[in-house]
Amino acid sequence: MTRHTRSGDAERTDVDLALFGALGDLSQRKLFPALYQLDREGLLHKDTRLLGLARQEISLEEFRGKVEASLNKYVKAKELDEQAMTRFLDRLSFITVDFKVAEGYGAIREWCQTANHERPLVVYLAVGANIYGDICRHLQASGSLDEDSRVVVEKPIGYDLESSNVINDAIGEVFPESRVYRIDHYLGKETVQNLIALRFANPLFGTQWNQNHISHVEITVAEKVGIEGRWGYFDEAGQLRDMVQNHLLQLVCLIAMDPPANLDADAIRDEKVKVLKALKPFTDDMLGRDVVRGQYTAGTSDGVSVPGYLDEEGANISSHTETFVAMKTGVSNWRWAGVPFYLRTGKRMPEKLSQIVIHFRQQPHYIFDPDQRALAANKLIIRLQPEEGISLEVLTKDSGLDKGMRLRRGPLALDFNSAFPKARIPDAYERLLLEVMKGQQYLFVRRDEVEHAWRWCDNLISAWKERNELPRRYPAGSWGPVASIAMITQDGRSWYEDY
């Protein structure tokens, strides 16, 4: 399809967005609410149209009704505006199409051609990665695309490096890398953006961000829920593929990367790739000492009994899939030599929590009470969820005439909700969708990032298979297997759990 385009206009936001999987959970729970918020804030261009695509046969009125119901469910009541809702719903169109059958794509081309203004087409694939290639090829063959069309794909892409390459090759046959947007929603979080500002705009931290001043780093991504009916997917993936390969490794990259030359997309992503290349591989002797796999058993969550992983509906009772992973790794370069990175993530944890803790080294000469020596180190706590914020744990003198020079620990805190009470913290998908419309890629994952992350994880998975080691059990509602506590304790440290 030939349309007049403006390839050099990176800030252009008047696009048409075609959403494959428009009736799915991700679209209804996250994407449509995010698009509504952009519209309500005046950030969705007045000419932008939204096309929902799904296999189900429903009318446009039914589709708009489903979206309206989702907005009423997932958007806070105080943020629902009747005028904004009407304007947003009027943008919606719907086409029933079998994603694997080429014949149905002519309707998409016709929809694109009905625009009064020429706009780039953004294709959002909120579907399984196994059909990304089919959709891209059919869109191209139907004439629905032009040189400004973009595609947004969800991670994880593939099951391992080999399958990831097959999928990325299929996408690459139609879309050049400069027009592929691989989403990791963690990269759209306000606090993750503040991590870049914190590191590179503040000399206080920039000069201290190395092995001379940081003793260790820990990252926790804890989920309170179980598998939420995703047995078929999750049992094939496991927690390493589902969480470590994308979310946790992206956070490691942002913490460990060197300063980019500028804020251009490739400058940032070049530095992230260097970190992934420098990640320490796991040797056989490290597996038993520095990696813990777990699988939750029956327990309690918020005082309610919950089933174990093997007791979930549809479960394969002989499954050895891990629902928890803890590990000690590192980055082999000058900045981070000798600094361990402790990572842990699991399901059925006591809290929903995503948190980074930077532990700074103690002063070499200590002059205060010997029994308080363990306190004498600063910590930078970066909270991604449930409430985003950043705090620096510092030591001061305890107040009172009878305290002497006793120390007390307290935070210098930036809580976004308290610091900006009138400002709404946007959902990660709002930021990511807006950046796609602008044609900006710095919050998205480049193909070589995906490949290096898979290569590192594949080596670990291969070593697990060779050892044929079963995951350790932990009760639902706990912080994982006891071995994960022993793993960090053997280094004279402990997980930070002052929530």
Side-chain angles (χ1 to χ4, degrees):
M1 182 173 70
T2 301
R3 297 200 300 266
H4 174 71
T5 58
R6 293 182 292 171
S7 299
D9 190 353
E11 290 296 320
R12 182 179 182 182
T13 60
D14 53 328
V15 303
D16 285 339
L17 191 150
L19 178 54
F20 285 78
L23 297 178
D25 180 68
L26 174 63
S27 297
Q28 296 292 317
R29 183 167 50 89
K30 286 291 187 180
L31 301 182
F32 284 121
L35 289 164
Y36 163 79
Q37 294 285 16
L38 291 176
D39 199 359
R40 190 176 72 92
E41 296 285 345
L43 296 173
L44 208 58
H45 194 282
K46 64 182 179 63
D47 293 329
T48 288
R49 302 181 303 161
L50 307 173
L51 174 63
L53 297 146
R55 296 183 178 90
Q56 293 90 327
E57 289 272 3
I58 63 172
S59 67
L60 175 58
E61 290 71 25
E62 289 174 314
F63 174 62
R64 288 177 173 174
K66 286 181 177 293
V67 173
E68 183 176 8
S70 292
L71 296 181
N72 284 317
K73 181 176 181 180
Y74 296 114
V75 176
K76 294 179 180 178
K78 66 181 181 180
E79 296 167 1
L80 290 171
D81 177 87
E82 185 176 349
Q83 184 177 358
M85 177 83 78
T86 300
R87 181 177 64 244
F88 179 74
L89 294 175
D90 285 344
R91 296 179 186 269
L92 301 179
S93 301
F94 182 80
I95 295 175
T96 298
V97 60
D98 186 332
F99 301 156
K100 295 184 179 181
V101 178
E103 285 75 16
Y105 284 72
I108 302 174
R109 181 190 66 246
E110 293 173 6
W111 179 82
C112 293
Q113 292 174 337
T114 60
N116 294 324
H117 302 279
E118 306 298 343
R119 293 183 288 273
L121 178 67
V122 173
V123 178
Y124 198 119
L125 304 184
V127 296
N130 59 313
I131 58 173
Y132 286 173
D134 291 332
I135 293 174
C136 292
R137 284 188 292 267
H138 293 332
L139 283 169
Q140 184 182 52
S142 68
S144 301
L145 306 176
D146 65 16
E147 65 270 22
D148 275 354
S149 299
R150 306 159 199 166
V151 65
V152 185
V153 295
E154 285 280 341
K155 293 176 63 188
I157 297 173
Y159 179 80
D160 53 17
L161 177 60
E162 182 180 359
S163 61
S164 173
N165 282 337
V166 169
I167 295 168
N168 278 315
D169 285 345
I171 297 170
E173 291 174 6
V174 178
F175 293 93
E177 184 65 25
S178 61
R179 292 192 278 119
V180 178
Y181 294 73
R182 297 177 188 86
I183 273 192
D184 184 331
H185 74 271
Y186 269 49
L187 298 183
K189 288 183 175 293
E190 188 78 12
T191 309
V192 172
Q193 300 305 295
N194 266 291
L195 179 57
I196 295 175
L198 188 81
R199 285 197 56 194
F200 303 130
N202 294 284
L204 172 66
F205 294 112
T207 58
Q208 307 292 304
W209 213 263
N210 55 56
Q211 49 86 18
N212 291 322
H213 302 283
I214 293 176
S215 67
H216 63 288
V217 176
E218 61 173 287
I219 303 175
T220 294
V221 177
E223 300 175 272
K224 204 169 185 178
V225 298
I227 58 171
E228 296 185 294
R230 297 191 306 154
W231 176 269
Y233 160 75
F234 186 83
D235 199 56
E236 287 292 319
Q239 197 73 357
L240 183 76
R241 292 185 178 96
D242 193 42
M243 295 298 291
V244 176
Q245 185 271 334
N246 43 69
H247 300 325
L248 271 76
L249 289 188
Q250 283 295 317
L251 295 178
V252 169
C253 287
L254 291 171
I255 294 166
M257 72 181 190
D258 284 338
N262 50 52
L263 291 178
D264 289 347
D266 281 331
I268 292 173
R269 296 189 292 186
D270 285 347
E271 296 303 331
K272 288 161 66 181
V273 167
K274 291 178 185 177
V275 174
L276 292 170
K277 287 181 176 180
L279 278 178
K280 288 183 177 180
F282 287 99
T283 60
D284 189 63
D285 64 309
M286 293 166 63
L287 285 175
R289 184 183 70 241
D290 296 338
V291 183
V292 178
R293 298 170 69 223
Q295 187 184 89
Y296 66 84
T297 58
T300 59
S301 179
D302 289 334
V304 178
S305 296
V306 293
Y309 180 69
L310 300 182
D311 302 318
E312 299 276 10
E313 185 177 352
N316 167 17
I317 62 173
S318 61
S319 172
H320 297 156
T321 297
E322 79 284 349
T323 62
F324 175 95
V325 181
M327 63 179 67
K328 172 186 171 183
T329 186
V331 180
S332 299
N333 60 22
W334 285 104
R335 180 183 291 272
W336 297 107
V339 177
F341 282 65
Y342 299 96
L343 316 180
R344 66 172 172 173
T345 176
K347 297 189 181 299
R348 289 294 185 203
M349 302 278 99
E351 304 286 343
K352 178 181 180 181
L353 177 76
S354 294
Q355 182 170 269
I356 302 164
V357 184
I358 310 295
H359 295 259
F360 291 93
R361 295 189 184 279
Q362 294 185 353
Q363 293 279 29
H365 179 55
Y366 180 77
I367 61 175
F368 300 93
D369 290 339
D371 64 343
Q372 289 192 297
R373 180 68 187 249
L375 293 178
N378 301 129
K379 300 178 184 66
L380 180 67
I381 299 111
I382 303 160
R383 247 183 4 262
L384 307 181
Q385 62 180 13
E387 293 184 359
E388 298 189 51
I390 299 171
S391 64
L392 178 64
E393 195 173 87
V394 298
L395 297 173
T396 58
K397 176 191 173 296
D398 200 355
S399 60
L401 296 176
D402 60 340
K403 302 294 185 181
M405 192 55 78
R406 295 285 293 176
L407 301 175
R408 62 178 295 177
R409 190 167 58 185
L412 298 176
L414 171 59
D415 182 291
F416 295 158
N417 289 325
S418 301
F420 311 107
K422 295 183 179 180
R424 186 183 66 86
I425 298 176
D427 181 79
Y429 277 99
E430 294 174 43
R431 185 186 308 279
L432 294 169
L433 284 163
L434 185 60
E435 294 305 314
V436 173
M437 294 174 188
K438 291 179 178 180
Q440 301 284 7
Q441 285 192 308
Y442 78 106
L443 295 180
F444 298 86
V445 181
R446 203 168 60 191
R447 177 169 179 170
D448 53 348
E449 290 182 69
V450 177
E451 291 174 352
H452 285 294
W454 271 126
R455 190 172 287 114
W456 187 79
C457 287
D458 282 355
N459 288 336
L460 179 53
I461 292 168
S462 176
W464 279 346
K465 288 181 178 178
E466 289 181 12
R467 289 173 65 93
N468 196 27
E469 192 174 273
L470 300 180
R472 300 171 186 265
R473 307 298 187 214
Y474 66 96
S478 71
W479 283 106
V482 174
S484 67
I485 300 172
M487 181 194 75
I488 193 169
T489 302
Q490 69 187 359
D491 295 336
R493 300 179 173 121
S494 61
W495 296 103
Y496 181 84
E497 293 180 353
D498 188 7
Y499 307 132

